[in-house]
Amino acid sequence: ASAVSICGVSAAIVAAGAINGDKRKLSYVTTLVLVMAIPMMIIQPWAVKFFHIPEVVGGAWLGGTLDTTATVTAAGDIVGPIAVKAGVIAKFSQNVFIGVAAFFIAIWWAYKKPKAEAAGVVRAESPGLKIVWERFPKFVLGFIGASLVFSFLLEPATAKSIGSSLNGLRTIWFALAFISIGMEAKFSSLVKLQGGKPAFTFVAAQIFNIFWTLLWAYILFGGYLFPVPDFH
């Protein structure tokens, strides 16, 4: 649910950390995200051009449906520069909700009545802020802190130069992370795990998301309610 509604792999990692989830199931979800993202990255830009969808609407649509920032940028580049800007803004706006989701998921899961307790087994420790803090994925704080520093404390030129130098490191670490995920992922598990129900649910939710987001992209960026933003 976090992967579909927020920002794909990063949101899935946050949710899994907040609930102490099974790492193998996290790998399963990550595989689903990437398997869906690859055809969407090709088909959606084609649909934008074929159906003559305005570029800014198409970019917002890509940013709201594709689950990784890299695929949003690549797909937007196929459509045009305005689509890239609109798509990245839409995707980054979703990324902001990572911290919010992690906080509330950690609280919900910490206070959720476990099956063992329902069966009469006494819980080892009572829920509280300590458990919420332990379950909260700490890298989210770094994400928020870095965003605040680069947004408000650094000059634009300085932030841009530092960001450019860090992009190389980010690419290396992302490549290592996804290679490691790929080593654990098994395509056969997409069908075998719980009879394929999680995969079917994810695909159905993603298809709904594609049409729902396109509707809102037209409403918000098509000039029906608000002036069309100038991304030139």
Side-chain angles (χ1 to χ4, degrees), residues 8-9 24 37 44 49 63 71 79 146 149 159-160 164 177 186 214 231:
V9 175
R24 290 172 297 178
Q44 285 189 251
K49 293 185 175 182
T71 55
V79 178
V149 169
K160 187 175 182 180
S164 299
K186 293 183 179 180
L214 179 60
F231 288 104

Side-chain angles (χ1 to χ4, degrees), residues 94-221:
Q94 284 185 314
N95 292 349
V96 171
F97 287 98
I98 293 180
V100 177
F103 178 72
F104 284 106
I105 290 174
I107 292 178
W108 173 66
W109 206 262
Y111 284 86
K112 185 175 182 291
K113 190 175 183 180
K115 293 182 179 179
E117 186 178 357
V121 179
V122 179
R123 195 170 178 172
E125 56 179 333
S126 59
L129 294 178
K130 180 181 178 182
I131 298 179
V132 174
W133 171 250
E134 290 175 354
R135 289 176 178 267
F136 187 85
K138 309 302 186 297
F139 81 87
V140 173
L141 299 178
F143 175 87
I144 296 173
S147 180
L148 292 174
V149 169
F150 275 76
S151 298
F152 301 108
L153 297 183
L154 296 180
E155 294 293 330
T158 304
K160 187 175 182 180
S161 62
I162 295 176
S164 299
S165 62
L166 291 177
N167 275 337
L169 290 175
R170 182 186 65 177
T171 301
I172 292 173
W173 286 110
F174 261 101
L176 291 174
F178 280 102
I179 289 173
S180 300
I181 292 171
M183 292 173 66
E184 291 186 351
K186 293 183 179 180
F187 286 101
S188 59
S189 65
L190 298 180
V191 178
K192 293 180 180 178
L193 183 64
Q194 296 181 8
K197 290 181 180 179
F200 175 79
T201 302
F202 184 90
V203 173
Q206 191 66 282
I207 292 174
F208 173 82
N209 185 36
I210 289 172
F211 291 100
W212 180 249
T213 304
L214 179 60
L215 171 63
W216 278 99
Y218 263 107
I219 292 174
L220 297 176
F221 293 90

